[in-house]
Amino acid sequence: MMNYQALLQMNTIFISILIESLPFILLGVLISGIIQMFVSEEMIAKIIPKNPVLSVLYAIGAGVLFLACECGIVPITRRLIAKGVPLSAAIAFMLSAPILNPIVLFSTYIAFGNSWSMVFYRGGIAFLVVIIIAFILSLQFKTNQLKHDHIGHTHHHSHTFKDKVKGMFRHSIEEFFSVGKYLIIGALLAAAIQTFLKTSLLLEIGQGNLSGNVVMMALSYVMSLCSQADAFVASSFRSTFSTSSLVAFLVFGAMFDIKNTIMLLGTFKTKFVLCLMAYIFISVLGLTLLFIS
């Protein structure tokens, strides 16, 4: 009976993760299709500044204006890189969009009882992490790190507008099935771990400053929450964990979780994904411990 109840709970969590993520995936693949058919490499070259620092800041600014979660942003990032956007700028866009956009920051403000301090902590730490990661990536990786980098080549001059619209939907559908399978696998893993991992064990471990931050980051990774809703879950831990731990939860989970790890592994080279995850983990942990008591 207990096994049946556990499977039922896992199924409920799995479906809720899918329902939460699908609208953003659909938006992401649609924009990816638009970029593929209507945005040329020449247009990208004109829009993105040549200066590496300015290109990263420009990408963060674009991310602030873009309403997406950490899953929906992956296909867009892949398409931008294939079109010639520098890796550091594209990853800066990918990391900033799910956490620095106005909806996420406003939900954080509401979830913590109209607290601007949590908004500034979350936004400030996230911004610093993105800058650090972009700097490291620009030094370490000189190629685009995509598993398949042929997806960005399209002869725009040979298509009528009607052909481009058809191509846009065709590419969007292909992209949906490409990233959709990784979303399903990631959601299933997240649901299984949430069901069978005892949260009480994590709470017992996370009593110190360092361990509390690590535990909350691990919890955010496992729970795989959408960034628009994670602040309400984090606020429920206020009586148990420190502000530093809560901010670590809010920043790391919006950048990396189980479902988008699977999607990233299907998009980028494995070494790059593992390095990216390690750098984000270390940056979030270090900055939250350093700046937030």
Side-chain angles (χ1 to χ4, degrees):
M1 190 67 177
M2 286 298 293
N3 288 337
Y4 174 77
Q5 288 179 342
L7 289 174
L8 195 62
Q9 181 185 354
M10 188 177 96
N11 182 62
T12 302
I13 296 171
F14 170 69
I15 292 173
S16 68
I17 291 174
L18 285 185
I19 291 173
E20 189 179 57
S21 303
L22 273 176
F24 298 102
I25 291 290
L26 290 171
L27 177 63
V29 298
L30 183 61
I31 293 173
S32 175
I34 292 171
I35 293 170
Q36 171 67 7
M37 296 309 300
F38 291 95
V39 180
S40 67
E41 287 82 351
E42 292 77 15
M43 290 171 64
I44 291 288
K46 289 179 182 178
I47 294 170
I48 300 294
K50 300 295 183 184
N51 185 289
V53 176
L54 288 178
S55 68
V56 168
L57 294 175
Y58 189 93
I60 293 173
V64 171
L65 300 174
F66 200 87
L67 309 179
C69 75
E70 69 282 358
C71 293
I73 207 72
V74 174
I76 301 171
T77 304
R78 173 167 73 165
R79 192 68 64 184
L80 288 173
I81 292 174
K83 286 286 184 179
V85 173
L87 180 67
S88 57
I91 297 301
F93 171 77
M94 184 185 79
L95 296 178
S96 60
I99 191 170
L100 293 177
N101 75 70
I103 290 181
V104 170
L105 295 178
F106 182 69
S107 71
T108 305
Y109 173 76
I110 297 298
F112 284 89
N114 301 341
S115 169
W116 283 110
S117 63
M118 287 302 294
V119 174
F120 290 133
Y121 281 143
R122 185 179 195 181
I125 294 295
F127 179 81
L128 290 175
V129 169
V130 172
I131 294 294
I132 291 169
I133 299 305
F135 175 74
I136 294 173
L137 296 183
S138 67
L139 294 177
Q140 183 176 359
F141 298 99
K142 303 304 180 184
T143 58
N144 66 25
Q145 297 301 306
L146 292 175
K147 279 189 172 179
H148 310 287
D149 61 1
H150 63 276
I151 58 174
H153 304 292
T154 303
H155 300 291
H156 294 266
H157 62 271
S158 62
H159 292 83
T160 64
F161 180 78
K162 185 178 179 180
D163 290 335
K164 287 185 177 182
V165 171
K166 288 180 179 178
M168 177 195 76
F169 284 110
R170 184 177 68 252
H171 282 291
S172 296
I173 292 168
E174 290 173 357
E175 194 84 63
F176 177 77
F177 284 106
S178 175
V179 302
K181 61 179 179 286
Y182 298 114
L183 172 66
I184 290 172
I185 295 170
L188 191 60
L189 281 173
I193 294 174
Q194 282 189 54
T195 301
F196 298 106
L197 178 69
K198 293 183 178 179
T199 308
S200 58
L201 178 62
L202 291 177
L203 295 176
E204 288 177 12
I205 297 172
Q207 294 305 308
N209 289 335
L210 175 62
S211 60
N213 286 34
V214 171
V215 163
M216 286 302 281
M217 290 165 70
L219 196 59
S220 69
Y221 183 82
V222 167
M223 294 183 77
S224 295
L225 298 166
C226 184
S227 57
Q228 277 87 347
D230 59 1
F232 295 96
V233 175
S235 65
S236 67
F237 290 104
R238 278 184 289 184
S239 61
T240 312
F241 288 93
S242 67
T243 301
S244 178
S245 299
L246 298 179
V247 174
F249 176 95
L250 291 170
V251 175
F252 186 73
M255 293 183 176
F256 245 96
D257 58 30
I258 290 176
K259 62 183 188 298
N260 90 317
T261 299
I262 301 297
M263 294 175 69
L264 288 169
L265 286 170
T267 301
F268 294 97
K269 294 174 183 177
T270 302
K271 178 186 175 182
F272 172 77
V273 176
L274 294 178
C275 286
L276 181 63
M277 185 177 182
Y279 296 151
I280 293 173
F281 184 90
I282 294 168
S283 298
V284 172
L285 182 61
L287 290 172
T288 50
L289 288 173
L290 184 63
F291 290 113
I292 307 171
S293 57

